[in-house]
């Protein structure tokens, strides 16, 4: 069995060969990032859980077909991207923001000073709103860039578009976020 | 170059600042129950037989088996007829009277029309041949049901399609027609072989070599026609199977349960529309259909109020 320092790709290959423990390591590494990615896109806990389960289900089903031609994380987020696409197509339109979004943001603990808390809260609120206003494709690209710190090529692989398209979407998204935060 | 253009490597200071705020946004984690369910599913999958092997086995459990049997039967039949026509001087078993094949059998797609047993086949052949002793009824009844009973056994139907089967008689009729035609063609080929044997058996009664040659020619022609008819029937059987598969797929699509996501979306819509009881009922059905699926937390309260 591959050790804890094994690459994602080796773990996935081991899992495809029947090593269940390899999957546990792999899952522990990616559960948080994948869930947050879905949650930030969907803004709905129930739907995020549903799609999250779906994505892992697809990984499990495809375990024997997996070939390490790309990074495992790229493949995983490709699956998530495709599943999100299905979801948006089925929903036809993005759902409205959750009614309790602001309350949830307010409940976030913050150990800093009251002044700083207010400022940080305002900053988060603005970023949250700015993200919600972005078109889906721009939001996805900026989340992959800022949260996952992926390169333009990797984002292109996941989203199925060329490098220049990714670059353009990212630039528009970043401009909007900056404007919102400065406003 | 636009100085605000995104770079390709690590995050620049501007991106890092945005990333810092982004990571401070409220975010959740998958519930522990969901983690456990996924890990269990993964472990179960790893412990089970490789999916590839199951898929390979599946190939022999579906319609291709029928296709293969049909093709093999047609090939063996053609070889057998050829062998009988050329070397059939010494009959191994006593033969019944000859049954001639209708001359237009190969060119007529209705060669196998509406056979339901060998008696009717023999009747049809009799009309063409003039003096046809029908095959023993006991034998006829024994052989045909065996062929018919194989067809449904080889079909794998989704539960929904099976439930709806009576509503789709056309889909059921195809394979029987195809198999009937195959049986008919095979029976006609047998009749042609009988003719060859009869010609040989009657040979001593015919004094002239010319008569014998004619008998052989006739038998060989009949065998050829029968072989062609068998080919036509085999093709029709394949076509019927393909059409049947298409009809079953269409039927399955109509009657198949919703995908989990669509189903849950439907439950949400019902709940949003104030139809709580209906939403709960649909969710209960969902849980029965997908017992291993984690019920999303926003819908779980519906079940607690059951």
């Amino acid at each position: 069995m591959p050790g804890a320092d094994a690459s994602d790709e080796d773990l996935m290959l081991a899992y495809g060969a029947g090593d269940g423990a390899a999957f546990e390591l792999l899952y522990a590494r990616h559960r948080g990032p994948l869930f947050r990615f879905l949650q930030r896109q969907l803004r709905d806990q129930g739907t995020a859980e549903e799609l999250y389960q779906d994505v892992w289900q697809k990984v499990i089903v495809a375990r024997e077909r997996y070939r390490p031609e790309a990074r495992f994380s790229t493949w995983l987020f490709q699956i998530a991207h495709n599943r999100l696409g299905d979801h948006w197509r089925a929903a036809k339109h993005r759902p409205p923001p959750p009614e309790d979004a602001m309350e949830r943001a307010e409940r976030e603990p913050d150990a800093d000073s009251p002044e700083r808390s207010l400022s940080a809260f305002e900053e988060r609120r603005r970023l949250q709103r700015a993200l919600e206003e972005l078109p889906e494709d721009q939001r996805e690209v900026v989340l992959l860039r800022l949260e996952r710190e992926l390169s333009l090529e990797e984002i292109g692989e996941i989203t199925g578009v060329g490098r220049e398209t990714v670059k353009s979407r990212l630039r528009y998204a970043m401009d909007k976020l900056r404007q919102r935060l400065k406003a | 170059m636009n100085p605000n253009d995104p770079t390709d490597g690590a995050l620049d200071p501007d991106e890092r600042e945005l990333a810092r705020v982004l990571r401070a946004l409220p975010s959740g984690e998958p519930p522990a129950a969901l983690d456990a369910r996924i890990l269990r599913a993964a472990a179960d999958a790893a412990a089970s037989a490789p999916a590839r092997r199951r898929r390979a086995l599946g190939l022999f459990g579906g319609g291709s088996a029928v296709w293969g049997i049909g093709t093999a039967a047609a090939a063996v039949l053609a070889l057998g007829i050829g062998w009988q026509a050329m070397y059939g001087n010494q009959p191994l078993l006593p033969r019944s009277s000859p049954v001639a094949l209708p001359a237009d059998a190969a060119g007529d797609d209705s060669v196998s029309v509406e056979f339901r047993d060998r008696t009717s086949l023999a009747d049809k052949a009799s009309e063409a041949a003039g003096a046809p002793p029908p095959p023993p009824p006991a034998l006829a009844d024994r052989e045909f049901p065996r062929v018919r009973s194989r067809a449904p056994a080889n079909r794998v139907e989704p539960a929904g399609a099976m439930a709806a089967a009576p509503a789709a008689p056309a889909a059921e009729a195809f394979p029987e027609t195809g198999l009937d035609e195959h049986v008919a063609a095979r029976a006609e080929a047998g009749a042609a072989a009988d003719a060859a044997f009869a010609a040989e058996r009657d040979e001593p009664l015919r004094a002239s070599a010319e008569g014998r040659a004619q008998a052989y020619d006739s038998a060989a022609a009949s065998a050829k026609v029968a072989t062609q008819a068998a080919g036509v029937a085999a093709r029709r059987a394949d076509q019927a199977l393909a059409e049947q598969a298409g009809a079953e797929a269409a039927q399955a699509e109509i009657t198949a349960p919703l995908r989990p996501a669509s189903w849950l979306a439907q439950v949400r819509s019902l709940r949003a529309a104030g139809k709580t009881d209906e939403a709960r009922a649909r969710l209960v059905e969902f849980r029965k259909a997908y017992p291993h699926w984690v019920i999303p937390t926003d819908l779980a309260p519906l079940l607690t109020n059951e």
Side-chain angles (χ1 to χ4, degrees):
Chain A
M1 174 197 152
D5 55 347
S7 69
D8 289 347
E9 292 73 32
D10 286 343
L11 289 173
M12 186 62 202
L13 286 173
Y15 175 56
D19 183 351
F23 182 87
E24 289 180 22
L25 282 173
L26 203 54
Y27 183 78
R29 286 181 191 177
H30 294 280
R31 64 185 279 279
L34 177 64
F35 190 78
R36 278 192 294 277
F37 173 71
L38 292 170
Q39 197 184 35
R40 294 217 196 287
Q41 300 264 15
L42 296 159
R43 295 166 303 152
D44 175 80
Q45 180 79 8
T47 315
E49 286 174 18
E50 198 178 307
L51 266 63
Y52 176 80
Q53 179 168 332
D54 238 6
V55 171
W56 284 111
Q57 188 91 17
K58 287 182 195 303
V59 170
I60 292 168
V61 168
R63 65 193 181 280
E64 292 179 337
R65 294 196 304 272
Y66 174 75
R67 296 287 174 271
E69 289 160 359
R71 287 170 60 188
F72 171 80
S73 60
T74 303
W75 181 59
L76 182 69
F77 279 81
Q78 258 175 359
I79 296 173
H81 163 81
N82 293 338
R83 188 63 191 82
L84 275 168
D86 291 345
H87 173 76
W88 295 133
R89 271 191 295 279
K92 300 290 184 210
H93 60 82
R94 288 183 59 214
E99 290 170 6
D100 63 340
M102 293 302 293
E103 291 170 27
R104 280 193 284 172
E106 283 167 11
R107 283 200 300 267
E108 279 298 296
D110 195 332
D112 291 341
S113 67
E115 294 77 15
R116 181 164 173 76
S117 293
L118 185 62
S119 163
F121 169 74
E122 181 61 19
E123 203 173 38
R124 288 199 299 267
R125 190 182 68 83
R126 286 180 184 178
L127 183 65
Q128 179 78 54
R129 293 192 68 144
L131 280 171
E132 285 172 8
E133 286 168 6
L134 288 178
E136 284 152 26
D137 49 2
Q138 291 179 21
R139 187 173 58 250
E140 184 177 39
V141 163
V142 83
L143 287 174
L144 287 170
R145 175 71 183 152
L146 297 182
E147 280 209 311
R148 303 284 303 148
E149 299 190 18
L150 299 180
S151 69
L152 300 183
E153 281 78 9
E154 287 170 318
I155 296 173
E157 273 185 65
I158 289 171
T159 55
V161 296
R163 183 182 186 281
E164 289 307 309
T165 306
V166 173
K167 193 172 172 179
S168 160
R169 286 179 184 174
L170 190 53
R171 194 178 66 222
Y172 280 118
M174 291 291 291
D175 286 347
K176 285 177 193 168
L177 295 185
R178 281 189 200 103
Q179 283 169 14
R180 271 291 191 174
L181 285 177
K182 284 175 188 169
Chain B
M1 180 185 161
N2 184 341
N4 285 336
D5 269 356
T7 54
D8 224 353
L11 301 183
D12 63 29
D14 203 17
E15 288 175 325
R16 268 204 301 277
E17 178 57 19
L18 280 174
R20 181 189 63 77
V21 183
L22 182 66
R23 286 178 187 136
L25 286 177
S27 63
E29 296 241 315
L34 185 55
D35 285 341
R37 191 69 64 92
I38 290 169
L39 289 171
R40 192 163 60 244
D44 289 349
S48 66
R52 200 177 299 146
R53 196 186 314 154
R54 283 200 301 275
R55 280 197 302 277
L57 290 172
L59 284 176
F60 297 96
S64 54
V66 178
W67 184 89
I69 291 168
T71 306
V76 168
L77 184 64
L79 283 172
I81 291 167
W83 183 82
Q84 292 286 8
M86 292 177 70
Y87 304 107
N89 298 349
Q90 302 295 327
L92 299 174
L93 294 168
R95 294 280 166 176
S96 60
S97 299
V99 179
L101 182 74
D104 58 347
D108 183 3
D109 269 0
S110 63
V111 62
S112 51
V113 219
E114 309 302 330
F115 285 115
R116 283 297 175 264
D117 57 38
R118 284 186 63 141
T119 309
S120 60
L121 165 68
D123 290 342
K124 191 173 180 179
S126 318
E127 287 170 17
L139 174 65
D141 292 342
R142 201 167 54 237
E143 182 166 354
F144 183 57
R146 180 167 53 82
V147 177
R148 286 191 54 165
S149 65
R150 202 179 297 149
N154 283 328
R155 277 206 313 269
V156 179
E157 293 187 348
M162 287 175 74
E172 284 298 318
F174 280 123
E176 289 193 2
T177 305
L179 289 172
D180 283 354
E181 288 171 356
H182 207 158
V183 170
R186 192 173 59 179
E188 286 172 356
D194 283 349
F197 277 109
E200 177 63 21
R201 187 194 59 194
D202 295 337
E203 187 265 341
L205 301 176
R206 299 177 189 172
S208 72
E210 185 185 348
R212 184 168 49 176
Q214 281 175 351
Y216 269 114
D217 287 348
S218 167
S222 296
K224 185 179 176 186
V225 168
T227 306
Q228 288 169 343
V232 168
R235 281 195 299 277
R236 286 172 63 88
D238 292 344
Q239 186 183 356
L241 281 170
E243 288 172 3
Q244 175 214 355
E248 283 175 358
Q251 189 62 35
E253 196 170 327
I254 293 166
T255 57
L258 288 172
R259 281 171 56 88
S262 310
W263 196 325
L264 293 171
Q266 192 185 56
V267 173
R268 287 196 181 94
S269 304
L270 288 168
R271 188 186 57 179
K275 299 176 181 172
T276 312
D277 290 343
E278 207 173 326
R280 182 178 300 118
R282 288 293 289 152
L283 191 57
V284 169
E285 287 172 24
F286 175 84
R287 195 171 52 176
K288 285 177 188 162
Y290 298 100
H292 298 299
W293 201 270
V294 174
I295 302 297
T297 47
D298 63 318
L299 296 179
L302 279 176
L303 293 176
T304 57
N305 297 332
E306 258 184 290

